[in-house]
């Protein structure tokens, strides 16, 4: 196999051109031998090598420019890039096609050789048969023409008198002993000859009276375990099969390896004696966030601002804790409103974090701002809507986030319930946003389910209808839920209508509902059946939103005149 792919050449384009010539010769040979499968592989190899040649030529031109500009780091990186690119293309080519083939390969002579051997063997057999049949009492000189036996039968069970043991050695396979040979008797000398290999019998006495044997020690096949230091030398001899898919999947290009090495350390960590400055922080973050980062440095300090954009989740969590302590103990010259405006983007960034520990700290900071900070400094009317507008959509989406971490949904519902139980003005602002119509075009079903559950919990917590959530708002949201495509959301809407129907103006509520006498919707017809049961004095359980859309029993004796108001 050609070793061009393993040696780092100074000019890789010439290497690819040599490979193209080799593949072309292999393709011509395959076409001549009518091996079209191999010819197709060779054609694919030519296309791959041509593409590699074009790419490597471009990299070589860039490498020359880098060398002329004394940019040796760029030249080294381009060299490694060329080697990786070449290895990638060669891994897709059948390695047999890279074996060099002479320009005029001779045809295979295996068939003619086999026929010659067959003829010779037949002649020798016929001659031996004729010699064996004509002279039965031939001399000892003619006995060499009789075909010799290749093996002798060895009895499995020994006879009564054990004969002498005999060992058959392949004469030419006897390796010279490195130790000093012992003196042998004349009767046990092995004749040396340069003739064809023959089996030589070596007699061995059944019982040796002397302690030292007088026969030639014969090599026996034994299992030999190489010592551990020599295992590395034997590994190339027992090469394991190569999994090309595994190698290609785990191949790391130099640019990716450099980027991975740079990401091991935190962007804003003070490595060594380097001192983090505001200029370094602003250069490291997105240009869109630089204005806010400067404002955060002025209000909360350089370390807190750097931790907001840190890659370490513990630093991000510590930044939110530090902002909360700054809001509690305002010892700076900045106004409470200015501190709130600077803290709000950090809260939004923390609520969008993918790690639950950072998200939980952001929820805690949001509760402090909504329940205590705004009320303490009298900022509910001026800045309360701003806070709600920035966070309500993220909270709704987090109620449907059950895939990444199961802790997000219960923690979000618990925080929203605490916000609703708190200040009534803030609860009204939150509920106005939570009870908006669903986004049927691009909304998530899980988020819509979470939104419906938020409203259902709030209605039960606040014991609506009241000044915070009106009867009209509940009916409107319930109708929107019943028009939803998800069955769970529709059931929540039905339960909301039944809940407010038992406490509010029933006549006004029926006017907000769609007509049910001629409706083909099973949910609407079951809702009117439940309303008729309530009018008849039978209570309906609405304390859960996990009921099915099909009622357990449908009253058959309810007259149709009752449905008219």
């Amino acid at each position: 196999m050609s070793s061009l792919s393993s040696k780092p050449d100074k000019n890789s384009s010439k290497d690819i051109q040599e490979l193209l010539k080799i593949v072309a010769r292999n393709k011509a040979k395959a076409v001549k031998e009518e091996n079209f499968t191999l010819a197709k592989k060779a054609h694919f190899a030519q296309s791959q090598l041509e593409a590699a040649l074009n790419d490597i030529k471009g990299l070589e031109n860039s490498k020359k420019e880098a060398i002329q500009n004394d940019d040796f780091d760029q030249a080294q990186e381009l060299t490694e890039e060329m080697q990786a690119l070449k290895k990638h293309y060669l891994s897709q080519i059948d390695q047999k096609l890279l074996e060099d083939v002479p320009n005029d390969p001779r045809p295979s002579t295996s068939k003619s050789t086999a026929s010659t051997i067959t003829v010779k063997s037949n002649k020798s057999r016929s001659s031996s048969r004729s010699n064996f049949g004509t002279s039965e009492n031939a001399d000892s000189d003619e006995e060499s023409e009789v075909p010799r036996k290749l093996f002798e039968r060895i009895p499995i069970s020994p006879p009564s008198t054990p004969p002498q043991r005999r060992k058959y050695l392949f004469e030419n396979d006897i390796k010279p002993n490195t130790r000093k040979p012992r003196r042998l008797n004349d009767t046990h000398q092995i004749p040396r000859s340069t003739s064809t290999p023959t089996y030589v019998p070596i007699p061995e006495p059944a019982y040796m009276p002397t302690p030292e044997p007088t026969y030639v020690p014969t090599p026996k096949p034994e299992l030999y375990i190489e010592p551990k230091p020599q295992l590395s030398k034997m590994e190339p001899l027992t090469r394991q099969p190569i999994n090309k898919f595994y190698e290609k999947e785990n191949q790391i290009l130099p640019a990716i390896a450099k980027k991975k090495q740079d990401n091991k350390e935190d962007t804003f960590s003070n490595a060594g004696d380097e001192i983090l400055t505001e200029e370094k922080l602003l250069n490291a973050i997105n240009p869109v966030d630089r204005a806010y980062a400067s404002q955060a440095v002025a209000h909360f300090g350089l370390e807190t601002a750097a931790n907001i954009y840190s890659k370490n989740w513990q630093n991000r969590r510590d930044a939110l804790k530090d902002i909360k302590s700054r809001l509690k103990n305002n010892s700076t010259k900045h106004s409470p409103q200015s501190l709130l405006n600077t803290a709000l983007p950090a809260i939004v960034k923390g609520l969008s974090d993918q790690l639950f520990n950072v998200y939980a700290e952001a929820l805690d900071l949001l509760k402090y701002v909504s329940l205590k900070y705004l009320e303490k400094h009298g900022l509910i009317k001026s800045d309360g809507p701003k806070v709600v507008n920035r966070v309500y959509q993220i909270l709704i989406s987090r109620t449907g986030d059950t895939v990444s971490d199961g802790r997000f949904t219960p923690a979000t519902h618990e925080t929203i319930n605490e916000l609703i139980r708190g200040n009534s003005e803030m609860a009204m602002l939150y509920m106005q946003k939570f009870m908006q119509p669903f986004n049927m075009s691009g909304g998530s079903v899980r988020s819509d389910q979470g939104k419906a559950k938020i409203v259902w919990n709030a209605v039960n917590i606040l014991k609506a209808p009241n000044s915070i959530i009106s009867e009209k708002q509940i009916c409107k949201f319930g109708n929107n839920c019943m028009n939803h495509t998800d069955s769970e959301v529709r059931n929540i809407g039905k339960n909301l209508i039944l809940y407010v129907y038992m406490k509010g103006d029933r006549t006004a509520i029926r006017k907000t509902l769609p007509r049910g006498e001629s409706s083909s919707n099973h949910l609407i017809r079951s809702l009117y059946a439940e309303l008729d049961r309530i009018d008849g004095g039978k209570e309906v359980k609405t304390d859960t939103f996990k009921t099915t859309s099909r009622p357990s029993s449908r009253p058959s004796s309810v007259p149709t005149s009752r449905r008219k108001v």
Side-chain angles (χ1 to χ4, degrees), residues 444-507:
S444 172
V445 175
R446 292 192 182 95
S447 298
D448 293 345
Q449 291 175 356
K451 182 178 180 179
K453 293 175 184 178
I454 289 172
V455 176
W456 173 257
N457 293 334
V459 168
N460 287 273
I461 291 172
L462 299 175
K463 298 180 180 179
N466 51 25
S467 59
I468 300 176
I469 305 177
S470 64
E471 180 183 293
K472 184 178 180 181
Q473 287 178 322
I474 299 174
C475 293
K476 185 177 179 180
F477 185 79
N479 287 326
N480 291 332
C481 289
M482 286 192 295
N483 292 327
H484 200 275
T485 57
D486 184 68
S487 60
E488 186 174 354
V489 177
R490 293 197 300 268
N491 290 330
I492 295 175
K494 175 186 173 182
N495 289 330
L496 284 172
I497 298 295
L498 295 175
Y499 179 88
V500 74
Y501 188 78
M502 291 187 294
K503 294 187 176 183
D505 187 357
R506 299 182 179 182
T507 304

Side-chain angles (χ1 to χ4, degrees), residues 60 62-72 74-75 79:
E60 285 179 350
S62 302
K63 179 180 175 182
K64 291 179 182 178
E65 295 178 0
I67 294 174
Q68 292 176 359
N69 298 331
D70 294 338
D71 191 358
F72 299 109
Q74 181 70 12
T79 302

